[in-house]
Amino acid sequence: MEIVNNIKDTALIFEGGGMRASYTAGILNILLENEIYFNYVAGVSAGASHLVNYLSRDTKRAKKSFVDIVLDPKFGGWKSFFKGEGFFNAKYLYEETAYPDALLPFDFETFMANPAEFRIGAFNCNNGRLEYFTKKDIHCPEDLMKIVRSSSSYPILMPKTFYKGNCYIDGGIVGGIPLDIAKRDNMKKFFVILTHQKGYRREPLKFKGFLKAYYRKYPAVLETMLKRHINYNQTLDELEELERKGQAFLVYPETMPVSREETDYDRLEESYRLGYAQGKKDLHLWKNFLEGNTYETRQI
């Protein structure tokens, strides 16, 4: 199977955001439907799920992962949370649904045949560092799904993920937008799909006392979470500067009708529809940027 990518000078970056990714799944599917194939993709948290669906070129799975999934009684909720499985039933969602006869069968063959470079970020609680996994770390579907789960293990709401002797939680606690690794890999242009509206900035963390007790065995986790708003806001500032220089295109949601923890199917379906409609409307702007032309500033 030969897969060819046609965007080789620009990094595609997916921000995390839990169920807000229902909106950006619509953006993702406009890319795939219009055969806009990046050769470098980075993602953390929900952005890691987007990454694997994008590289396996699976439009149906991209939507189902953040919309239809909530109709599954095993999806999660508070009953699941108090059983220790997580508000989002992590093991089920990231590992068991990907099998061929399961709810979200994953095309591992296409994923691995895709020549694109990719980076999936997860926070290692043991050494206190954000680690990026690449194709060389993937030897079977189980490796990939465990890595995506590691990247997506949201603090408190989901249990930590143990993989190859290390404990991981959501890579988004460092910031949530993996611009750092794309720059480290010498990418110069960036197409960034965000899950907050333009102008959003993070506030300092609350409930510090509770978090200090909860992560008493992993002090680096708390230290990183306390700096998250600083890292996130600095990254957005940098991206806006890159956009002014013509080196980045930032895809902001025009609206965001759902929260990270949304579980209502109708609201998620509407969120997806809005993201898809925005993608269709803005497609010509994306193409202008990716083709190196001067592009007009979108009016929000």
Side-chain angles (χ1 to χ4, degrees):
M1 179 188 306
E2 182 179 5
I3 295 179
V4 178
N5 295 315
N6 50 22
I7 307 296
K8 298 187 177 181
D9 65 342
T10 303
L12 172 60
I13 297 176
F14 289 112
E15 180 182 11
M19 301 309 285
R20 291 195 299 271
S22 57
Y23 191 102
T24 49
I27 301 289
L28 184 163
N29 278 348
I30 292 295
L31 290 174
L32 289 179
E33 289 174 9
N34 288 275
E35 299 183 351
I36 300 175
Y37 301 136
F38 290 80
N39 204 47
Y40 181 101
V41 189
V44 297
S45 194
S49 293
H50 275 347
L51 181 153
V52 298
N53 292 330
Y54 175 81
L55 290 180
S56 63
R57 299 188 177 178
D58 194 334
T59 56
K60 291 182 179 179
R61 194 176 195 274
K63 180 185 178 186
K64 287 182 178 180
S65 295
F66 292 99
V67 179
D68 305 66
I69 189 69
V70 298
L71 297 176
D72 189 322
K74 297 181 182 179
F75 170 74
W78 289 116
K79 183 178 179 181
S80 172
F81 176 79
F82 287 115
K83 286 171 62 178
E85 298 169 340
F87 182 81
F88 301 108
N89 187 347
K91 187 177 189 300
Y92 175 71
L93 294 176
Y94 293 100
E95 298 181 51
E96 297 175 14
T97 63
Y99 291 117
D101 58 348
L103 181 67
L104 299 172
F106 181 70
D107 188 347
F108 184 70
E109 181 181 357
T110 298
F111 176 84
M112 292 302 288
N114 194 318
E117 291 283 329
F118 68 83
R119 305 289 184 265
I120 296 174
F123 188 83
N124 187 324
C125 301
N126 297 92
N127 61 28
R129 294 198 299 265
L130 179 65
E131 295 182 0
Y132 283 101
F133 294 90
T134 70
K135 185 173 285 188
K136 69 180 182 181
D137 298 302
I138 313 298
H139 304 289
C140 60
E142 289 75 16
D143 282 338
L144 179 61
M145 293 308 157
K146 199 78 169 185
I147 287 167
V148 174
R149 178 183 171 184
S150 297
S151 179
S152 307
S153 296
Y154 191 69
I156 311 298
L157 288 182
M158 297 168 74
K160 296 178 286 292
T161 300
F162 293 89
Y163 179 59
K164 294 191 173 179
N166 287 304
C167 168
Y168 292 96
I169 63 171
D170 198 310
I173 72 164
V174 177
I177 307 172
L179 175 64
D180 58 332
I181 189 64
K183 288 169 54 185
R184 200 183 312 163
D185 290 332
N186 296 313
M187 301 302 293
K188 305 299 181 185
K189 293 179 64 180
F190 312 93
F191 189 89
V192 187
I193 300 179
L194 301 161
T195 56
H196 286 287
Q197 292 172 262
K198 186 176 177 63
Y200 173 82
R201 290 296 187 273
R202 285 198 177 278
E203 298 292 331
L205 193 66
K206 300 177 181 178
F207 310 113
K208 297 177 185 177
F210 169 76
L211 290 169
K212 183 177 181 180
Y214 191 86
Y215 287 112
R216 60 189 179 279
K217 294 182 179 179
Y218 303 103
V221 172
L222 176 63
E223 182 181 350
T224 302
M225 291 177 71
L226 291 175
K227 296 177 181 177
R228 184 187 185 191
H229 68 290
I230 297 172
N231 294 333
Y232 183 86
N233 295 342
Q234 286 178 344
T235 299
L236 276 180
D237 290 343
E238 183 175 359
L239 283 170
E240 290 175 356
E241 179 60 26
L242 288 168
E243 186 176 47
R244 284 190 287 271
K245 294 177 179 178
Q247 293 175 248
F249 192 103
L250 309 184
V251 182
Y252 296 103
E254 293 180 349
T255 182
M256 181 46 67
V258 298
S259 69
R260 172 185 287 273
E261 296 84 17
E262 183 61 67
T263 59
D264 182 85
Y265 171 80
D266 290 334
R267 294 190 66 183
L268 291 166
E269 176 72 32
E270 174 67 3
S271 176
Y272 174 84
R273 187 191 67 78
L274 290 169
Y276 187 85
Q278 178 182 330
K280 289 184 68 174
K281 177 171 64 69
D282 290 345
L283 178 62
H284 69 289
L285 301 179
W286 304 353
K287 287 183 175 180
N288 283 345
F289 172 76
L290 295 171
E291 292 166 2
N293 300 328
T294 301
Y295 63 94
E296 57 187 289
T297 301
R298 213 171 22 129
Q299 298 300 312
I300 303 291

